[in-house]
Amino acid sequence: MRATVLAAAKKLNYVPNPAARALSTNRSKTVAAIIPTIDHSVYAKYITAVEKTLSARGYTLVLAISNADAQMECDAAEKLIAMGAEAFILTGAKHSAALIDLLDRCAKPLVFTSVFDDQSAIPTIGYDNQALAKAAIAHLQEHGHRDIAVVYGSLAENDRTVTRLKGARMALGSADNTLFFEVDLSVEGGRRAAMEILNTDKRPSAILCFSDVLALGVMFLLQSQGIRIPLDISVMGFDNLDWSRQSYPSLTTIDLPASQMGAEAALQIMRRLEEDHPMSSLDLPAKIMRRGSVGPVRHRP
Amino acid sequence: MRATVLAAAKKLNYVPNPAARALSTNRSKTVAAIIPTIDHSVYAKYITAVEKTLSARGYTLVLAISNADAQMECDAAEKLIAMGAEAFILTGAKHSAALIDLLDRCAKPLVFTSVFDDQSAIPTIGYDNQALAKAAIAHLQEHGHRDIAVVYGSLAENDRTVTRLKGARMALGSADNTLFFEVDLSVEGGRRAAMEILNTDKRPSAILCFSDVLALGVMFLLQSQGIRIPLDISVMGFDNLDWSRQSYPSLTTIDLPASQMGAEAALQIMRRLEEDHPMSSLDLPAKIMRRGSVGPVRHRP
DNA sequence: CTGAAAGCGCTAACAG
DNA sequence: CTGTTAGCGCTTTCAG
């Protein structure tokens, strides 16, 4: 009987109307993610994993782009609620109080990604940015580097960068021979930072970038000035983007578990939605990729 | 009266239920886009523009990723229809007959992007890949290059690449000293192609890549071998990704109107949906960015 | 201009 | 196990 009806439905090309179903069940099977920009491999990878994981179980991802602006993020969230999003995946741990309050009042399940924080009241699925930055500095120090420059994108709307910076500062201790450069999170930003670095009195022997994108800009500029990497200056990145292994020289960097993070966030959200399973923070493994752009410090002539 | 109700609604935090509205009006205000991968700046930019344009007018983008697989694309479209997508934006002009048939039967408005084709029955919003490839070859020829290698990603599921290749072949005429390399569309692919190129008997004086991503891999490999760009070999890309101006040397490439394309596609879809305005193909301007990676041919010693 | 009611297509609860 | 029915929250139509 059931079979005959199903067969007839198939023959008639019947497709259930999702709006009617959503209205009746009060479930839209839609989850929202808001990312600062799609135009960065690290977000692209993570969102790809979210989309795959969600759609494999019949859920739909709706995506909004905040341009790293807290106000835009909040506006986007309102729209997404109005569109029927059942849960939210936000990038980073710092968001406008209005947004958190809104999601709380609407009782929308919520996860933060790209960070791991034990203390957070809201579950965080990501990595320990502070520890990773510390590890990066330690890696440079193991190679004898004492004069290190740190390059990063805007601190204003990016708490991951702030946390990494804190970690780097801790690892560096009271060494005040460290140079810090805040630039645009872009290849051009990296280039500019490197230009400034070359103009300083005491050139650092290593440059740590909080994104491979910045590191690429740094490498391009150093090469254009005939500076050898890592012989003259070592360069280290963050993200482990696709090209970083193939670059010349290959880039020493930190591999972030972007895909795993997206999949886990999606999974936890769905379990929360379906079985009311409580969500919990997750510290995903990241690791240093030791490659060719970091070498031992060379003593100056 | 109207005002008092509106005020009360605001005070009570009333949000219309989108599912009920969709059910009642038979309109979801949702449009679907399917792209091969999100992890390529050129798609990321175009999708960002689609999302912005759509959401500015109260529409929602639902995104699916096909991994450049016609079957996955078709499956994704079915899901998207079941989710209530009202119209579709597909990348490229080549899709499974089943998919086109499906969208036709469901009477879903449809546009193709990333290509412009006068002859297409379905509106195409993009650029003339064949003409652009011709122009690229011509640009190299103007610099005296006669021995040219062409590097591109998989032809199997990418009609833009096929069209570009056709254009390049036409511009090259009967010159059979041209080398063609089909590789993975990645930095690693570019690296491999460059390795092969260096191993050929008669090294070309210029390498044209149908993506900046490939060009980056080519440049990395040439540099690792101590080959000077453009002195020893010229390199040309396609896409004009962010970093291409900052690379060392800066990459001569073709600027594709990715953002404009996304915005136009979204706009036409919405006009079609709202005013039944017929959609029409659009040939958007692309142009050669003359930069540092292409130089005059040097006669061999 | 305001108020009442039907119905969009589905699910869930309940009756036979 | 099958068949019937109420109702999800909105829009639209029609009556007052």
Side-chain angles (χ1 to χ4, degrees):
Chain A
M1 170 66 186
R2 178 188 169 78
T4 52
V5 171
L6 251 36
K10 188 143 292 177
K11 184 152 26 182
L12 294 173
N13 260 314
Y14 166 79
V15 179
N17 179 322
R21 176 173 285 164
L23 183 59
S24 175
T25 58
N26 205 22
R27 300 252 359 232
S28 64
K29 286 206 146 201
T30 285
V31 352
I34 309 181
I35 54 176
T37 169
I38 208 173
D39 196 7
H40 188 306
S41 262
V42 107
Y43 298 122
K45 261 191 208 161
Y46 130 62
I47 283 303
T48 303
V50 169
E51 194 272 341
K52 259 192 200 158
T53 311
L54 247 27
S55 74
R57 295 236 226 150
Y59 281 74
T60 305
L61 168 70
V62 289
L63 192 63
I65 291 143
S66 69
N67 284 309
D69 178 304
Q71 186 56 50
M72 284 189 66
E73 185 178 52
C74 195
D75 295 349
E78 272 186 55
K79 274 194 193 166
L80 293 166
I81 289 175
M83 286 174 30
E86 292 188 60
F88 281 76
I89 302 178
L90 300 183
T91 306
K94 195 190 155 207
H95 304 278
S96 75
L99 171 56
I100 301 303
D101 187 54
L102 174 70
L103 296 178
D104 193 48
R105 275 184 292 121
C106 300
K108 302 285 182 194
L110 168 64
V111 228
F112 294 154
T113 65
S114 310
V115 294
F116 168 74
D117 179 3
D118 255 356
Q119 309 300 311
S120 170
I122 286 155
T124 55
I125 297 182
Y127 28 82
D128 184 337
N129 288 282
Q130 185 174 304
L132 292 176
K134 278 190 201 170
I137 294 288
H139 179 70
L140 293 173
Q141 287 172 334
E142 279 166 27
H143 283 78
H145 296 285
R146 293 295 172 269
D147 301 312
I148 297 173
V150 184
V151 179
Y152 39 86
S154 167
L155 295 167
E157 299 277 4
N158 190 320
D159 61 297
R160 283 86 68 209
T161 303
V162 172
T163 309
R164 288 175 195 177
L165 187 54
K166 192 152 64 168
R169 283 216 149 97
M170 287 170 73
L172 287 160
S174 53
D176 63 355
N177 47 351
T178 308
L179 301 165
F180 296 94
F181 296 88
E182 180 176 342
V183 292
D184 247 29
L185 179 43
S186 65
V187 173
E188 170 64 9
R191 245 187 94 250
R192 292 205 178 173
M195 258 167 64
E196 285 192 57
I197 287 169
L198 294 187
N199 285 332
T200 54
D201 288 341
K202 188 156 186 281
R203 274 195 196 173
S205 63
I207 303 176
L208 171 62
C209 301
F210 284 161
S211 169
D212 284 357
V213 169
L214 294 169
L216 185 59
V218 166
M219 291 202 295
F220 281 150
L221 187 105
L222 296 184
Q223 285 167 347
S224 75
Q225 301 303 110
I227 291 166
R228 294 158 302 175
I229 306 169
L231 208 57
D232 301 321
I233 296 185
S234 287
V235 177
M236 182 165 180
F238 227 99
D239 291 345
N240 193 27
L241 302 188
D242 294 342
W243 54 262
S244 63
R245 206 167 65 84
Q246 273 85 40
S247 68
Y248 176 71
S250 64
L251 183 63
T252 291
T253 187
I254 294 189
D255 179 59
L256 299 181
S259 298
Q260 196 189 345
M261 184 173 82
E264 289 290 352
L267 243 28
Q268 286 218 16
I269 289 272
M270 290 188 295
R271 278 202 299 173
R272 171 60 223 286
L273 252 18
E274 281 166 21
E275 312 157 22
D276 210 18
H277 192 289
M279 297 189 286
S280 57
S281 290
L282 219 52
D283 187 11
L284 299 172
K287 66 172 184 297
I288 296 182
M289 309 302 289
R290 290 153 201 269
R291 295 201 281 236
S293 65
V294 170
V297 72
R298 222 172 31 133
H299 291 292
R300 323 250 159 160
Chain B
M1 170 65 184
R2 177 188 170 78
T4 51
V5 171
L6 251 38
K10 187 142 293 175
K11 182 151 31 183
L12 293 174
N13 260 316
Y14 167 78
V15 179
N17 179 323
R21 175 172 287 165
L23 182 58
S24 175
T25 58
N26 206 20
R27 297 249 5 229
S28 64
K29 286 207 145 200
T30 286
V31 351
I34 309 181
I35 55 176
T37 169
I38 207 177
D39 197 6
H40 189 306
S41 263
V42 106
Y43 298 123
K45 261 191 207 160
Y46 130 63
I47 283 303
T48 302
V50 169
E51 194 272 341
K52 258 192 199 159
T53 311
L54 247 28
S55 74
R57 295 237 226 150
Y59 281 73
T60 305
L61 169 70
V62 288
L63 192 63
I65 292 142
S66 70
N67 284 309
D69 179 303
Q71 186 55 51
M72 284 188 66
E73 186 180 50
C74 195
D75 295 349
E78 273 186 56
K79 273 193 193 166
L80 293 166
I81 289 175
M83 284 173 31
E86 291 187 61
F88 281 76
I89 302 178
L90 300 182
T91 306
K94 194 190 155 206
H95 303 277
S96 75
L99 171 56
I100 301 303
D101 187 53
L102 175 70
L103 296 177
D104 193 47
R105 276 184 293 120
C106 300
K108 302 286 183 193
L110 168 64
V111 230
F112 293 154
T113 64
S114 309
V115 294
F116 169 74
D117 178 2
D118 255 356
Q119 309 300 312
S120 171
I122 286 154
T124 55
I125 297 182
Y127 29 81
D128 184 337
N129 287 282
Q130 186 175 303
L132 292 175
K134 278 189 201 171
I137 294 289
H139 179 70
L140 294 173
Q141 288 172 334
E142 279 166 28
H143 284 77
H145 296 287
R146 292 297 172 268
D147 301 312
I148 297 173
V150 184
V151 178
Y152 39 86
S154 168
L155 295 167
E157 299 277 5
N158 191 319
D159 61 298
R160 283 86 68 208
T161 302
V162 173
T163 310
R164 288 176 195 176
L165 187 54
K166 192 152 63 169
R169 284 215 149 96
M170 288 170 71
L172 287 160
S174 55
D176 64 355
N177 46 352
T178 308
L179 301 165
F180 295 94
F181 296 87
E182 180 176 342
V183 292
D184 247 28
L185 179 43
S186 66
V187 173
E188 170 63 9
R191 245 189 94 249
R192 293 203 177 175
M195 259 167 63
E196 284 193 56
I197 287 169
L198 294 186
N199 285 331
T200 54
D201 288 342
K202 187 156 187 280
R203 273 194 197 175
S205 63
I207 303 176
L208 170 62
C209 302
F210 284 161
S211 168
D212 284 357
V213 169
L214 295 169
L216 185 59
V218 166
M219 293 202 294
F220 281 150
L221 187 102
L222 296 184
Q223 285 167 347
S224 76
Q225 300 304 111
I227 289 166
R228 294 157 302 175
I229 307 168
L231 209 56
D232 300 322
I233 296 185
S234 288
V235 177
M236 183 164 179
F238 227 97
D239 291 345
N240 193 27
L241 302 188
D242 294 342
W243 53 263
S244 64
R245 205 165 67 83
Q246 274 86 42
S247 68
Y248 176 70
S250 64
L251 183 63
T252 292
T253 188
I254 294 190
D255 179 59
L256 299 181
S259 298
Q260 197 190 344
M261 185 173 82
E264 288 289 353
L267 243 27
Q268 285 217 18
I269 289 272
M270 292 188 293
R271 278 202 298 172
R272 171 62 224 285
L273 253 19
E274 282 166 19
E275 312 156 23
D276 210 17
H277 191 290
M279 297 189 287
S280 57
S281 289
L282 219 51
D283 187 12
L284 300 172
K287 65 175 185 297
I288 296 183
M289 309 302 289
R290 289 153 200 270
R291 296 201 280 236
S293 64
V294 170
V297 72
R298 224 176 26 138
H299 291 291
R300 322 252 160 160

